[in-house]
Structures are given as structure tokens and as C-alpha cells.
């Protein structure tokens, strides 16, 4: 038989590469009890101890989650099947010694939370966030990885992931960073897809949906998804060139899931308890818009502080007001531009976020950068001791969102717009995949809008916590901003239970009437002006009977001890936001033109 020398060379190279490939497998025989059996083989090792770790954090999250808590039945053997010694230097690491150049580990994983951070295994699906599922070896992070998802054929499961397929149920990742960033949905899902011409390069957009609904519901929802994709593509002028030519939405709208959305490089996780027919059609499309926008802003327009992502520690960035916040600004904005919600719904929908940010006492303590630094404490982080976030923290999602709104409307008063600024950031950093710093963002705004404008915006609203002149900005697009100063304000969230006890639900805001009067979370209000509270009236209804400036005698108990205080009602600081037409006003031709340009109305 004639042997081709080039073929032999190719085979030798292939076998050599395979020797440097870490092999994983996962099976789900005990899915009904939320367990998976996982193996991993690490070949071609240098002598010495091999440290195998379970991740503590996950791409897209900034807090610690300690995934090792759900791992047990750990074993390690060498290439001949000999059991190896294992020691535990810390709660998330297994040190394996005495190997012969290869280590094979096996362990059981318990997983029962279906969202963007954790994993869930049951008879309906295997929903896998990779850091919550697979162990890794840090110093082997540049190795290629192959993983065999041993699906439950009796449940008609199939694999969906941004990893490219090798063969059958085996998929591959070029390195650890890509592997950890590749969530995987294994279920009897439905799928829809379409192709977008991206400057001559076709990009496939596929929507994978695991749900209990109908094919017709999926068809209807997918039409909305397509509108979102195309509207966001218009912002940047193009799609990213996805690594393998495909972007995959991985959606689970099932009763056993938990509501969430989590971006990844070429895919995103979308989870919710509601099916499409139960409100999910309307309630979840915003998450689609938010997470897909991240394909540009955060995945490729990437803060330098998050590169490379550290799976062993909390990840902190001072740019989240931009990465998450500006993405949040575009979320409902895109739905309006795509015709999924009306301009009235969009404008009035700004009210809750606007009030949350600008009426928060927290601005006296932290600017948007410092709010971003708190992500490891708030981003799905848990603690048992009470905190004072009502007074000290504003979500960088919300803070950045209202700053994005202000920047957009301010730019438009100068013949510019936020879309073109985002395009410039994309072309300068995202498309080239050059991680940016806060200083880079500032300089890019200076480049786009001029030194005075760019430095002024950062000095006033990013490095400080000043409030832009929203009344004037809104007026330029025919939107009215008003405060309800004529309505009385007590300054506490109070729930009156069936026994007429008014329980203060959370910390009272600094400077509010209730705070000034010494009332605090957990206090139980029993009477106002000697009139006992009753379950027949909500607390707000009771307060609305009075006027701004009235002094109320408040009887309450704290730790079971009767007390009293006086509360002087002030004007309600809450804002309302609405189109000028709702008040009977009429926008001028120029204002109407500005609004149509802003919302891209026909």
C-alpha cells in the first residue's frame, strides 16, 4: 500500500494537538434529582501537583458565587486508572498528586437554578452555565477543550451552544476563556433563524427556545426578535463578525426557570418563569434587546478592567455605568424604534428609573464610577447582614441609563447624537477588540463632540454626581417633566397588614420626613393623629388626606416598645414624564422633527 508522506505528517500533527486537548464529558442519568456526572481528562502534564479548581465567578457577573458548594463525590486517577491522592488547600480547589503525566477526574454536580449564572438539571432540560458546571486547571487555560454532552435521548434532548460542533454531541472551544463563556442548553427545544448580510459577510442569527408553548407563539415572538436585531444593527452600522458566523439566543421560558438574562460573546441566556402566552411575549422582549446590545457593548467594546476575566475572584470595573447603563438606555429605546412599544409607552416608561436615580440620597456618597465599583456586592451577590443600599447605592444599570438619555438629548441639541458616538466607540475599540479605559471613553467623547462638551459631561456627571437639566432636554423633543410638589410626602414605604399594623418595609431615605422624625425599617405604625390604622385604607391613601406642611403625630412600636414622634409632610419629590400632547400641548414643527429623529419615527 502506498503511503502519502503529507498524510502521515497531518496525522502526526493531529495526534499531537489531541494530546494537548483537555477532554470533558457530562451525563444526566439522575436528572430527576438534579445531578450530573462529569469527567475531565488533562493529558501531557508536567510532573508535580495538579491543581483543579471550581470557578468562583462567571462572565457577565461581577460577584462571587462559589460554585464549588454544589460539587461532591470527587475522584482522581492516572492514565492507568490508579487512584491518586487528593488534598484540599481551600474550599474551591483540589490538589492531585502522584500522577503519571495524565489526570482524569470525576465528580457529581447538583444543579437546580435555571438562569444566567447557575446550572439546572432536571427531566425538562440540562441548562448549563459553564463555570457553574465544569472544573478547570488555570495554567492549562490556553489548551483546546472538547466536551461530550451525553444527552438524554429518551427525552429527545439536543445541544445548543455557541461552541462549534466536532461530531455528534461533542463540541469544542479554542481555550478556557471561550469555554467558560459558552452557556449550553440541552433540551427538546424549538429553533428559528435568519441570515443577515453584514458588509458582505453572512451572519446567522438563531433563536433557540425551550418552552411549553406552541410553534405559532415561537413564530410570532421570533418576528419581534428579528426587529430588535435589525434595529440594534442600525445603531452601530453593522453586526459584529461572530467567531463562527452565528449568534445564538438560548431562551428558557419555563415554570422551573428563574428570570434572568446574561450576555456572552456569541450568545446570550434568556430565562423566565412565564411562557409566551402568559405574558412572556411582552415582558421578555426587553431582555432580548438588552442582551443582544451587549454583543457590541461589553463583549467587544470591553472595559480593560474585565480583561482577562478572572474566574477565581470578584471582577470590578468602574465603567459599568457605560457598559451596562448605556445598554439599559438602549433597551426600551430600541423597542420603541422597532415599533414594539409606542412612543407614549417609551416616554412614560422612563418615569420609574428617573425617580429612582434622581431622588436617591446615594448621589451624595458615590458618583457613577463608584456605583460601578459596588457591582461585586450587588450583582446577584448575597449577604445575611442588613445593608443601607436605599441610601448609599444606585444601580449602575439605572444611573447609566438616565445619563445615556441625557447625553443623547444633549448631543442632539448640538446636531449630534448618541448613535454616532456609539459607532465611533465601536470603530475605535470594539471592532478592533482593544479594551478601553475610562480615560479612553472621555477622550472619544471629546473627539466626537468637542473638548468643552466632552470634558464638561465627564466632569459634571461621571466624576461628580450633578443632575443634567432634564426639563430643557425633554422640552427639545416635546416631553414634559414635572414634580408632584403639591402632593404630601411621608417618606417611608409602609404596608398596612390585616391587623391595622403599618410596617415600614425598608430603610427610610435620608432627608425624608420619616427619616428626620427618626422612623426606621421594621418600625410598626399603629396610629396617626390618634386615629388607628386600618386594613381598609392603604398607607398612601391615609397620607393623601393631609396637605404639604401638615404635622402628624405618629404612634408606633419598635422592638415591641410603644413610641411616638411627629412627622412634617413635605412636597412629593417624584417626577412625572409624559408627551406634551397628554397635557393638551402641541409641539412645534421643530420639536416634532427633533422627536421623530430621536425615536426614528416615520
Amino acid at each position: 500500500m502506498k503511503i502519502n508522506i503529507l498524510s502521515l505528517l497531518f496525522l502526526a500533527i493531529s495526534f499531537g494537538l489531541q494530546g494537548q486537548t483537555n477532554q470533558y464529558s457530562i451525563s444526566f442519568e439522575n436528572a430527576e434529582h438534579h445531578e450530573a456526572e462529569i469527567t475531565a481528562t488533562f493529558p501531557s502534564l508536567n510532573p508535580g501537583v495538579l491543581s483543579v479548581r471550581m470557578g468562583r465567578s462567571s462572565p457577565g457577573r461581577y460577584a462571587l458565587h462559589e460554585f464549588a458548594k454544589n460539587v461532591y463525590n470527587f475522584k482522581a486517577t492516572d492514565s492507568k486508572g490508579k487512584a491518586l491522592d487528593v488534598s484540599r488547600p481551600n474550599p474551591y480547589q483540589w490538589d492531585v498528586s502522584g500522577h503519571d503525566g495524565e489526570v482524569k477526574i470525576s465528580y457529581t454536580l447538583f444543579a437546580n437554578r435555571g438562569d444566567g449564572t447557575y446550572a439546572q438539571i432536571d427531566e425538562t432540560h440540562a441548562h448549563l452555565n459553564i463555570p457553574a458546571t465544569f472544573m478547570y486547571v488555570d495554567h492549562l487555560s490556553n489548551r483546546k477543550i472538547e466536551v461530550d454532552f451525553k444527552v438524554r435521548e429518551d427525552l429527545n434532548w439536543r445541544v445548543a451552544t455557541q461552541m462549534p460542533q466536532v461530531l455528534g454531541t461533542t463540541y469544542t472551544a479554542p481555550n478556557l476563556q471561550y469555554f467558560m463563556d459558552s452557556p449550553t442548553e440541552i433540551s427538546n427545544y424549538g429553533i428559528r433563524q435568519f441570515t443577515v448580510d453584514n458588509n458582505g459577510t453572512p451572519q446567522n442569527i438563531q433563536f433557540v427556545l425551550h418552552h411549553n408553548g406552541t410553534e405559532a407563539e415561537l413564530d410570532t415572538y421570533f418576528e419581534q426578535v428579528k426587529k430588535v436585531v435589525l434595529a440594534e444593527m442600525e445603531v452601530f452600522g453593522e453586526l459584529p463578525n461572530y467567531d463562527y458566523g452565528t449568534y445564538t439566543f438560548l431562551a428558557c421560558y419555563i415554570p422551573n426557570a428563574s428570570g434572568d438574562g446574561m450576555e456572552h460573546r456569541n450568545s446570550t441566556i434568556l430565562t423566565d418563569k412565564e411562557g409566551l402566552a402568559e405574558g412572556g411575549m411582552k415582558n421578555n422582549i426587553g431582555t432580548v434587546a438588552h442582551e443582544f446590545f451587549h454583543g457590541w457593548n461589553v463583549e467587544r467594546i470591553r472595559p480593560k478592567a474585565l480583561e482577562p476575566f478572572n474566574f477565581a475572584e470578584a471582577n470590578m470595573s468602574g465603567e459599568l455605568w457605560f457598559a451596562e447603563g448605556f445598554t439599559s438606555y438602549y433597551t426600551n429605546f430600541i423597542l420603541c424604534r422597532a415599533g414594539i412599544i409606542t412612543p407614549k409607552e417609551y416616554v412614560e416608561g422612563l418615569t420609574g428609573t428617573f425617580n429612582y436615580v434622581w431622588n436617591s440620597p446615594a448621589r451624595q456618597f458615590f458618583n457613577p464610577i463608584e456605583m460601578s465599583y459596588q457591582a461585586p456586592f450587588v450583582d446577584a451577590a448575597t449577604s445575611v447582614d442588613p445593608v443601607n443600599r436605599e441610601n448609599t447605592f444606585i444601580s449602575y444599570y439605572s444611573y447609566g441609563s438616565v445619563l445615556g438619555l441625557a447625553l443623547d438629548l444633549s448631543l442632539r441639541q448640538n446636531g449630534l447624537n448618541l448613535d454616532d458616538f456609539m459607532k465611533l466607540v465601536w470603530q475605535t475599540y470594539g471592532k478592533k477588540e482593544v479594551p478601553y479605559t475610562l480615560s479612553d471613553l472621555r477622550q472619544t467623547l471629546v473627539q466626537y463632540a468637542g473638548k468643552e462638551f466632552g470634558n464638561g459631561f465627564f466632569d459634571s456627571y461621571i466624576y461628580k454626581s450633578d443632575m443634567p437639566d432634564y426639563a430643557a432636554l425633554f422640552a427639545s423633543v416635546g416631553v414634559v417633566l414635572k414634580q408632584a410638589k403639591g402632593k404630601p410626602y411621608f417618606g417611608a414605604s409602609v404596608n398596612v397588614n390585616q391587623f391595622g399594623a403599618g410596617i415600614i418595609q425598608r430603610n427610610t431615605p435620608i432627608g425624608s420626613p420619616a427619616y428626620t422624625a427618626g422612623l426606621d425599617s421594621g418600625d410598626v405604625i399603629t396610629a396617626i393623629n390618634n386615629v388607628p390604622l386600618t386594613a381598609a385604607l392603604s398607607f398612601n391613601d391615609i397620607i393623601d388626606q393631609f396637605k404639604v406642611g401638615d404635622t402628624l403625630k405618629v404612634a408606633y412600636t419598635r422592638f415591641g416598645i410603644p413610641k411616638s414622634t411627629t412627622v412634617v409632610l413635605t412636597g412629593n419629590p417624584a417626577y412625572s414624564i409624559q408627551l406634551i400632547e397628554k397635557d393638551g400641548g402641541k409641539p412645534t414643527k421643530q420639536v416634532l422633527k427633533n422627536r421623530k429623529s430621536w425615536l426614528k419615527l416615520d
Side-chain angles (χ1 to χ4, degrees), residues 453-591:
F453 183 98
N455 287 335
F457 184 85
F458 268 79
D459 289 342
S460 296
Y461 311 127
I462 306 304
Y463 290 105
K464 292 200 296 185
S465 303
D466 293 348
M467 181 179 180
D469 184 358
Y470 282 97
L473 294 173
F474 276 131
S476 69
V477 290
V479 174
V480 177
L481 176 71
K482 294 191 298 186
Q483 275 186 297
K485 286 291 190 180
K487 294 191 66 175
Y489 176 63
F490 186 86
S493 176
V494 181
N495 178 54
V496 181
N497 66 20
Q498 59 182 325
F499 305 108
I503 304 169
I504 299 181
Q505 300 295 301
R506 56 184 69 94
N507 295 337
T508 51
I510 293 173
S512 69
Y515 184 94
T516 302
L519 293 169
D520 199 14
S521 175
D523 289 346
V524 180
I525 299 174
T526 56
I528 291 180
N529 290 349
N530 298 317
V531 177
L533 271 59
T534 170
L537 283 178
S538 73
F539 192 77
N540 287 340
D541 288 338
I542 295 171
I543 298 303
D544 285 345
Q545 297 173 2
F546 299 97
K547 300 189 299 295
V548 174
D550 283 352
T551 298
L552 310 183
K553 181 180 179 182
V554 178
Y556 68 102
T557 63
R558 176 178 293 168
F559 312 133
I561 301 172
K563 292 177 175 289
S564 66
T565 187
T566 57
V567 173
V568 181
L569 299 177
T570 61
N572 195 320
Y575 295 88
S576 65
I577 303 173
Q578 60 192 39
L579 296 174
I580 191 174
E581 293 92 330
K582 188 170 182 178
D583 262 351
K586 185 177 180 180
T588 66
K589 289 184 179 179
Q590 183 59 51
V591 165

Side-chain angles (χ1 to χ4, degrees), residues 121-351:
I121 298 162
D122 55 38
E123 69 274 17
T124 69
H125 67 168
H127 176 90
L128 307 178
N129 184 39
I130 301 302
T133 307
F134 294 103
M135 292 184 174
Y136 69 98
V137 176
D138 192 52
H139 76 271
L140 303 180
S141 61
N142 290 325
R143 283 192 179 185
K144 178 183 173 183
I145 289 169
E146 287 188 356
V147 53
D148 183 8
F149 300 101
K150 298 181 181 298
V151 303
R152 288 281 298 270
E153 294 183 0
D154 59 316
L155 299 174
N156 297 316
W157 282 1
R158 292 169 293 144
V159 179
T161 180
Q162 70 176 29
M163 288 184 280
Q165 185 180 27
V166 176
L167 183 67
T169 57
T170 299
Y171 291 75
T172 187
N175 52 47
L176 182 67
Q177 285 282 335
Y178 193 89
F179 180 53
M180 292 293 226
D181 197 39
S182 300
T184 301
E185 169 66 20
I186 308 172
S187 62
N188 185 16
Y189 56 77
I191 185 170
R192 300 291 185 273
Q193 51 194 332
F194 75 114
T195 300
V196 179
D197 182 357
N198 194 42
N199 298 326
T201 302
Q203 298 289 284
N204 185 43
I205 307 296
Q206 60 182 19
F207 190 86
V208 168
L209 177 60
H210 173 209
H211 71 143
N212 297 326
T214 67
E215 293 294 296
E217 289 165 358
L218 174 52
D219 288 336
T220 300
Y221 193 60
F222 185 57
E223 290 305 310
Q224 292 191 354
V225 172
K226 287 197 287 187
K227 289 179 181 179
V228 166
V229 168
L230 296 176
E232 294 189 357
M233 178 180 175
E234 189 175 345
V235 172
F236 293 96
E238 61 185 353
L239 292 175
N241 282 323
Y242 303 117
D243 293 324
Y244 300 100
T246 298
Y247 185 93
T248 304
F249 293 94
L250 299 170
C252 286
Y253 300 152
I254 53 175
N256 42 310
S258 301
D260 199 9
M262 185 55 61
E263 75 278 359
H264 296 273
R265 184 169 169 82
N266 303 304
S267 65
T268 192
I269 283 289
L270 309 164
T271 55
D272 198 70
K273 293 180 180 297
E274 288 185 329
L276 294 178
E278 300 158 342
M281 189 85 70
K282 179 180 180 181
N283 296 337
N284 290 325
I285 193 65
T287 311
V288 170
H290 183 95
E291 303 306 333
F292 188 66
F293 200 87
H294 274 319
W296 293 272
N297 190 28
V298 101
E299 288 299 330
R300 290 166 177 82
I301 302 174
R302 186 83 173 158
K304 190 173 183 179
L306 298 179
E307 280 296 308
F309 193 86
N310 189 338
F311 305 110
E313 301 291 344
N315 289 260
M316 186 178 81
S317 166
E319 293 82 19
L320 296 185
W321 59 268
F322 179 79
E324 294 288 1
F326 275 40
T327 298
S328 294
Y329 168 60
Y330 272 100
T331 298
N332 285 341
F333 196 31
I334 287 296
L335 299 186
C336 182
R337 287 179 168 186
I340 295 172
I341 62 175
T342 67
K344 177 179 180 294
E345 289 173 320
Y346 169 64
V347 167
E348 293 184 2
L350 295 169
T351 305

